[in-house]
Amino acid sequence: MTVKENLKLIEKRISDVCNRTARNKSDITIIAVTKYVSIDRTKEAVQAGVVHLGENRNEGFLEKREALGDKPVWHFIGSLQTRKVKNVIDKIDYLHSLDRLPLASEIQKRATKKVKCFIQVNASGESAKHGLDPQELLGFLKGLEPYTSIEVVGLMTMAPLTENQDVIRGSFRALKELQKNVQALDLPFAPCKELSMGMSNDFEIAIEEGATYIRLGTSLVGKDE
Ligand SMILES: *Cc1c(COP(=O)(O)O)cnc(C)c1O
């Protein structure tokens, strides 16, 4: 299938969820996750009208960023090693994986402009996942105050690997609750208006639970073998 065909099907599914949950379609941004596919396929996505692109590894990110330039909006969605920050930070529009203060400190040191960050939270409490423990979130936020180049635009999570829809929904709902707690702090550097949650297999549940950015790889651009 072409990206254009996939995009049409996905947009229809998004419309359907929005209609039944009284959400506004324009509040949901699709990020095409291109980590599994070639530069050509990524270009095809941009030609199909995709504006936001996501990569989870340095090498893949730099390669695609080099080939496609700064016209797309670039999302770094994987965990970022502190020592790699200097190579990528000024080329990233949104970082989805802020989860530790040393990373914030390195960003502060290297970035020449403000960086829009999502704090990644391990909302499901699965130990193997990256992301902050929910109990650590508020303390972490306060610790971010000195790092003036960081703007906390929202929270990000990955649902646990399970077929159980209730468990998946529970992790998205937990993230929404945490967002409310963050917003109640009213920190100038953390408006936290966005929720990055939902992938190919669970984006409809994520939208029902309040996602504003969904990250779609397989269902949108596919997966090269
Ligand atoms: C790979 C990846 C995605 C996309 O996964 P699909 O299931 O193929 O849609 C989304 N978010 C993150 C953080 C990823 O690493």
Side-chain angles (χ1 to χ4, degrees), residues 20-164:
R20 68 167 192 268
T21 56
R23 290 206 55 195
N24 203 330
K25 214 166 59 178
S26 62
D27 292 340
I28 292 145
T29 301
I30 299 172
I31 302 169
V33 176
T34 54
K35 67 187 185 196
Y36 307 118
V37 300
S38 66
I39 287 172
D40 280 348
R41 185 72 167 173
T42 306
K43 288 182 175 163
E44 187 195 326
V46 171
Q47 271 152 19
V50 171
V51 176
H52 295 259
L53 299 179
E55 279 282 332
N56 69 334
R57 303 180 57 132
N58 279 60
E59 300 71 27
F61 169 74
L62 287 170
E63 186 190 71
K64 301 264 176 29
R65 176 69 175 70
E66 176 83 5
L68 281 99
D70 61 6
K71 206 152 163 254
V73 178
W74 291 97
H75 296 257
F76 197 93
I77 61 172
S79 71
L80 180 57
Q81 287 172 277
T82 308
R83 65 191 169 84
K84 302 271 175 81
V85 167
K86 63 174 182 298
N87 301 329
V88 297
I89 199 67
D90 274 340
K91 300 185 171 111
I92 293 174
D93 296 298
Y94 291 85
L95 175 67
H96 288 241
S97 55
L98 182 61
D99 62 357
R100 56 196 196 278
L101 290 176
L103 179 59
S105 166
E106 182 68 9
I107 291 170
Q108 179 72 21
K109 203 157 103 194
R110 304 291 184 180
T112 62
K113 55 178 165 69
K114 253 196 208 264
V115 184
K116 298 189 185 87
C117 297
F118 289 85
I119 298 177
Q120 185 171 354
V121 183
N122 186 0
S124 68
E126 262 198 348
S127 60
K129 285 271 170 61
H130 289 283
L132 277 180
D133 213 288
Q135 289 102 299
E136 295 170 348
L137 178 61
L138 297 187
F140 179 75
L141 264 163
K142 289 173 187 155
L144 284 178
E145 183 156 23
Y147 305 121
T148 50
S149 61
I150 288 176
E151 182 184 7
V152 178
V153 296
L155 303 180
M156 178 274 213
T157 201
M158 287 175 82
L161 278 175
T162 170
E163 304 276 295
N164 187 327

